[in-house]
């Protein structure tokens, strides 16, 4: 399901009050999913070469310094090496505590950092924040319905839920 991070489906915060709303909404859902448990925090970057610098500068290293390279997905179908991409995922495991990712989540809200997710260590629950909201994947439909029911005012009014 998808939750919007600001009232009225506003995409980007423009004041400290709006940043407070965004962080509260992210942290509220994250608390409901992960309070008292360990989580994986995953960030990513990409490059045109396997070990080269990121193709687009982001604050990933500064905001996720404990992330170690976990996985690299290479796309090399094009015969021209200039069009090859290597998506690199970095992960760390930590105890979830409200506010422990606020710097990272604020960068996501500003679209300075993309492709971030937080998951339980069994990979049954996933929280994927993005500029404008968060997509949440839960283990069962009943769990999804329960979380959705607690935050109906954060849902999109669009018929498809987007």
């Amino acid at each position: 399901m998808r939750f919007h991070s600001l009232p009225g489906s506003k995409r980007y915060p423009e004041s400290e009050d709006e940043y407070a709303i965004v962080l509260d909404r992210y942290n509220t859902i994250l608390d409901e999913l992960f309070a008292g448990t360990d989580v994986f925090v995953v960030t990513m970057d990409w490059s045109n070469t396997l070990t080269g610098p990121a193709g687009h500068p982001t604050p990933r290293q500064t905001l996720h310094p404990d992330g170690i390279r976990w996985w690299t997905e290479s796309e090399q179908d094009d015969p021209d090496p200039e069009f090859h991409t290597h998506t690199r995922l970095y992960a760390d495991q930590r105890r979830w505590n409200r506010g422990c990712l606020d710097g990272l989540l604020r960068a996501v809200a500003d679209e300075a950092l993309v492709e971030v997710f937080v998951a339980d260590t069994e990979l049954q629950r996933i929280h994927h924040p993005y500029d404008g909201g968060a997509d949440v994947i839960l283990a069962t439909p009943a769990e999804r319905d329960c979380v959705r029911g607690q935050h109906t005012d954060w849902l999109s009014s669009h018929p498809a839920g987007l």
Side-chain angles (χ1 to χ4, degrees):
M1 80 199 103
R2 177 166 285 180
F3 293 107
H4 288 180
S5 55
L6 285 168
S9 301
K10 184 176 180 181
R11 191 159 190 143
Y12 298 103
E14 297 178 28
S15 68
E16 287 305 313
D17 288 343
E18 288 183 339
Y19 279 106
I21 292 168
V22 168
L23 292 174
D24 181 62
R25 288 187 179 191
Y26 284 148
N27 279 295
T28 296
I29 299 295
L30 287 161
D31 276 348
E32 291 173 10
L33 301 179
F34 307 124
T37 66
D38 282 355
V39 295
F40 292 127
V41 177
V42 180
T43 58
M44 64 134 285
D45 67 15
W46 63 271
S47 178
N48 290 332
T49 63
L50 194 58
T51 58
H56 178 72
T58 72
R60 189 203 63 74
Q61 279 186 293
T62 302
L63 295 171
H64 193 208
D66 296 330
I68 57 171
R69 185 158 326 165
W70 171 43
W71 182 270
T72 300
E73 185 67 32
S74 296
E75 177 61 52
Q76 301 179 55
D77 291 341
D78 196 294
D80 184 346
E82 188 173 323
F83 294 105
H84 295 177
T85 58
H86 306 275
T87 303
R88 303 173 298 206
L89 290 105
Y90 303 85
D92 77 71
Q93 183 175 340
R94 64 178 76 179
R95 178 66 85 184
W96 169 255
N97 292 300
R98 184 180 187 90
C100 72
L101 296 178
D102 280 0
L104 191 142
L105 294 171
R106 189 173 172 127
V108 167
D110 288 335
E111 201 178 15
L113 190 62
V114 297
E115 303 309 332
V116 172
F117 69 88
V118 181
D120 66 309
T121 57
E122 302 293 319
L123 299 175
Q124 298 291 307
R125 292 171 188 84
I126 299 172
H127 181 276
H128 176 257
Y130 63 89
D131 56 304
D135 291 333
V136 178
I137 300 170
L138 297 170
T140 67
E143 186 177 13
R144 177 203 61 214
D145 293 346
C146 180
V147 172
R148 179 189 296 142
Q150 293 173 359
H151 306 288
T152 56
D153 54 331
W154 299 357
L155 300 171
S156 170
S157 59
H158 188 278
L162 303 174

